[in-house]
Amino acid sequence: MTNLLPLKANPSDPGGGLNVSATIVLVLLFLLVTVMGFMAARWKKGKDLESLDEWGLGGRSFGTWITWFLLGGDLYTAYTFVAVPAAMFSAGAVSGFFAVPYTIVLYPIIFFFMSRMWSVSHRHGYVTAGDFVRGRYGSRELSLAISVTGFVATLPYIALQLVGIQAVLEVAGVGGKGNWFANDAPLFVAFVILAAYTYTSGLRAPAIIAFVKDILIYLVIIVAVIYLPTKIGGWSHIFDVAHAKSESTAPADAAFSDTVGPKAQWAYVTLAFGSAMALFMYPHSITAVLSSKSRDTIRKNASMLPAYSFVLALLALLGWVAIAAGTKPIGLNGKANPQLVIPQLFEDQFPSWFAGVAFAAIAIGALVPAAIMSIAAANTFTRNIYKEWLRPNATVKEEAKVSKLTSLVVKVFALVFVLAMDKQNAINLQLLGGIWILQTFPAIVIGLYTRWMHRWALLAGWAVSMVYGTWKAYEVASPATKHFGGSLSNIPVIGELGYIAFTAVILNVLVAAVLTVAFNALKLPAGVDETAVADYFVEADDPRVDQDFDPTELVTSEGPAEEAPGKA
């Protein structure tokens, strides 16, 4: 591949100015998805968008391919495509490549757990995890704890998508250095567009834009892993350079390792398993699942999504390609910033027009998850805080209106957070959010299989693990910050370095189990479970989905409905 348009004289120089060709391609593709976002309001529209089912879940109508693109756009975010190779570039295998086995472990979770979540939610009209917890355990307090955790954990995640867009704009030279408004104006424009089409089209907008985003991502990465190694000496040379960096005595390379050494194995394994357990506890992941039209759609997607893991592995290796290529990710402030390494690599090594395609892939890759996350956070607030605690008699239209407004508020928060605070704070809070969200796992996932756990015991386990996880994260220092500098700490008893969230969730389950035995012995009220065993196997055409359905009319092979299994 030859350069069709000239690169900047010194692409790695932050003072090199605007990359005109790349910027034109970026803007054109951005305009394309903007038009698609607004047109999405008319796509697969069965009713108006004045209900959470329609606006917040796309009418629960997405088929296999739409769900595949939506889940891919939701889970593999712009920050993923910036941060994973950046971690491989700066820290090596443990911090970067764990994302690959973690996504592989993730798919059985989708296949088994999320298909049950879809069925029971479809049967009872649940929109959020908080709805399920409220119905399963009959506990408003536990539902509130789960909902607030999900809402708070999602906010820094949205902010990091804007950080991904910023990284692209910074490398492309978009924005000025004269004053804050000129510098941040492009991000303001992207934010306004995102807010507008999310408000008007709901979940349909990111669903249709995800097609463009994923096609661009696949195109860019496949071209990169074929072209770049041939240009800089082949994969053998790339791995040799990465290994040489791991053996370097330079202070900047002290934390880098190209393998998972004996001391890092517990960290690697717990990070992979803990992250996999946590990802589908996020509100945006559950929202994408519940938007599917059938239980079978979820299971098919669990079989198809590993294609993204393959692409993610290739993407991670681009961090080492950047090492071999001598990429210098220097920000506009003149300081090294590993988060810029992939945009900078593409600008250095590719023609400007193709760098623009790569920039667009990352920027659009931020819009899709940011839209889904803001919608999911808004649905959580509306259903489990506003309606449950503030306005129980809210109508369906009022719910939709509040959710739309809340989605705007959370995006404004993310924008202000990115512009007004150090980006390191967003990264630290996202790490903390990962620790927090995993503590909702026992109440949600165990609840999908058994009602044995006592509601108050689960609440106590959640509280203890939240305090423990936050405290341990507070004690972690890094070169960039004194507190909340990472998510690894020594595991009690065994003394090995491990993922704080994984240790905390084990503590969570132990506390909940012990207290369940105690509370059951004391015969404390366990709450009313509104679900039945059969609800967790409901298909899209099951007559029990109809809320007016009379269960005495249903006759199964075992006999009348009243003889069907009772509570789980």
Side-chain angles (χ1 to χ4, degrees):
M1 183 181 296
T2 58
N3 286 2
L4 302 182
L5 290 172
L7 295 172
K8 291 191 297 187
N10 186 4
S12 291
D13 179 7
L18 178 68
N19 189 327
V20 178
S21 300
T23 302
I24 290 174
V25 173
L26 170 62
V27 170
L28 289 176
L29 289 172
F30 204 89
L31 289 174
L32 170 65
V33 299
T34 299
V35 173
M36 293 175 66
F38 285 110
M39 292 180 63
R42 300 181 180 88
W43 176 56
K44 295 180 74 68
K45 182 179 176 182
K47 302 176 182 179
D48 60 30
L49 298 179
E50 297 303 314
S51 73
L52 287 190
D53 262 20
E54 287 294 325
W55 182 82
L57 291 179
R60 302 182 190 254
S61 62
F62 297 156
T64 300
W65 284 107
I66 298 173
T67 302
W68 187 71
F69 280 107
L70 183 65
L71 280 172
D74 186 17
L75 306 181
Y76 296 89
T77 68
Y79 189 69
T80 301
F81 287 97
V82 168
V84 170
M88 290 286 285
F89 175 82
S90 60
V94 176
S95 296
F97 215 73
F98 86 90
V100 177
Y102 128 51
T103 58
I104 294 171
V105 172
L106 176 67
Y107 304 125
I109 292 177
I110 301 173
F111 190 91
F112 293 107
F113 300 164
M114 290 298 106
S115 59
R116 293 176 72 97
M117 174 64 85
W118 183 92
S119 290
V120 71
S121 299
H122 195 66
R123 167 69 179 86
H124 291 277
Y126 298 149
V127 175
T128 67
D131 287 352
F132 166 69
V133 170
R134 175 73 167 89
R136 182 60 152 160
Y137 300 99
S139 173
R140 298 172 72 208
E141 294 78 14
L142 182 59
S143 173
L144 179 65
I146 299 303
S147 301
V148 170
T149 303
F151 183 86
V152 173
T154 302
L155 295 182
Y157 221 155
I158 299 172
L160 286 184
Q161 306 316 308
L162 299 182
V163 170
I165 296 177
Q166 268 194 327
V168 165
L169 297 177
E170 190 167 345
V171 172
V174 179
K177 293 183 283 185
N179 58 74
W180 69 269
F181 181 79
N183 187 50
D184 297 323
L187 192 61
F188 273 106
V189 173
F191 164 81
V192 170
I193 292 172
L194 169 65
Y197 71 61
T198 302
Y199 187 91
T200 58
S201 303
L203 193 64
R204 286 173 172 82
I208 197 168
I209 293 173
F211 281 87
V212 177
K213 173 254 185 185
D214 290 349
I215 290 170
L216 289 176
I217 288 291
Y218 272 94
L219 171 66
V220 167
I221 293 177
I222 290 173
V223 169
V225 298
I226 294 174
Y227 169 68
L228 289 179
T230 62
K231 183 178 181 181
I232 60 177
W235 284 108
S236 177
H237 172 67
I238 291 168
F239 287 119
D240 286 344
V241 172
H243 182 66
K245 182 175 180 178
S246 70
E247 294 184 334
S248 171
T249 58
D253 299 331
F256 185 89
S257 175
D258 63 335
T259 60
V260 180
K263 293 183 179 180
Q265 289 175 0
W266 275 94
Y268 190 81
V269 171
T270 55
L271 271 169
F273 274 95
S275 299
M277 292 166 63
L279 185 56
F280 265 80
M281 301 302 103
Y282 277 102
H284 60 275
S285 300
I286 292 176
T287 293
V289 166
L290 298 187
S291 69
S292 304
K293 70 178 182 180
S294 71
R295 173 188 177 93
D296 191 50
T297 298
I298 302 302
R299 295 195 165 200
K300 286 180 179 177
N301 270 273
S303 302
M304 295 163 57
L305 281 169
Y308 282 98
S309 291
F310 174 71
V311 173
L312 182 63
L314 299 178
L315 175 75
L317 290 175
L318 291 182
W320 287 359
V321 171
I323 296 174
T327 304
K328 304 296 182 184
I330 307 298
L332 292 176
N333 59 5
K335 297 180 180 179
N337 181 0
Q339 304 298 325
L340 304 179
V341 69
I342 287 301
Q344 192 66 64
L345 174 68
F346 278 97
E347 186 175 54
D348 290 352
Q349 303 296 330
F350 281 104
S352 294
W353 68 268
F354 191 80
V357 174
F359 294 166
I362 297 173
I364 296 169
L367 296 180
V368 173
I372 303 172
M373 289 171 188
S374 64
I375 290 169
N379 290 347
T380 298
F381 172 83
T382 302
R383 287 293 288 250
N384 307 121
I385 299 175
Y386 179 79
K387 184 173 183 178
E388 184 69 38
W389 292 90
L390 304 177
R391 194 172 173 81
N393 297 322
T395 64
V396 170
K397 286 190 175 182
E398 185 178 349
E399 282 184 356
K401 182 179 179 180
V402 170
S403 196
K404 290 178 180 181
L405 293 174
T406 305
S407 74
L408 296 179
V409 172
V410 297
K411 284 191 279 286
V412 169
F413 169 84
L415 181 66
V416 171
F417 193 93
V418 169
L419 296 181
M421 300 183 69
D422 192 297
K423 295 179 184 64
Q424 186 62 43
N425 291 326
I427 295 171
N428 293 346
L429 283 177
Q430 198 277 328
L431 293 174
L432 188 60
I435 295 171
W436 288 343
I437 199 66
L438 186 53
Q439 308 321 310
T440 66
F441 187 92
I444 297 173
V445 174
I446 294 177
L448 289 171
Y449 288 88
T450 179
R451 183 57 176 81
W452 179 75
M453 287 285 194
H454 196 284
R455 55 179 177 169
W456 295 347
L458 284 167
L459 187 59
W462 168 85
V464 170
S465 63
M466 289 287 284
V467 171
Y468 171 83
T470 305
W471 166 54
K472 297 301 289 185
Y474 177 83
E475 291 184 330
V476 178
S478 73
T481 180
K482 293 182 180 179
H483 304 293
F484 302 113
S487 53
L488 299 176
S489 182
N490 284 335
I491 303 173
V493 182
I494 66 174
E496 298 285 350
L497 196 65
Y499 186 29
I500 294 170
F502 194 77
T503 307
V505 79
I506 292 174
L507 177 63
N508 188 337
V509 172
L510 290 175
V511 170
V514 170
L515 290 181
T516 293
V517 173
F519 291 164
N520 288 341
L522 294 172
K523 297 183 178 180
L524 298 180
V528 177
D529 179 7
E530 69 180 24
T531 71
V533 169
D535 295 344
Y536 296 87
F537 302 93
V538 163
E539 294 288 353
D541 58 353
D542 195 299
R544 285 167 295 188
V545 172
D546 184 355
Q547 296 299 316
D548 297 326
F549 173 72
D550 182 355
T552 62
E553 296 176 2
L554 178 64
V555 178
T556 65
S557 58
E558 289 83 10
E562 56 266 27
E563 297 177 9
K567 305 300 182 187

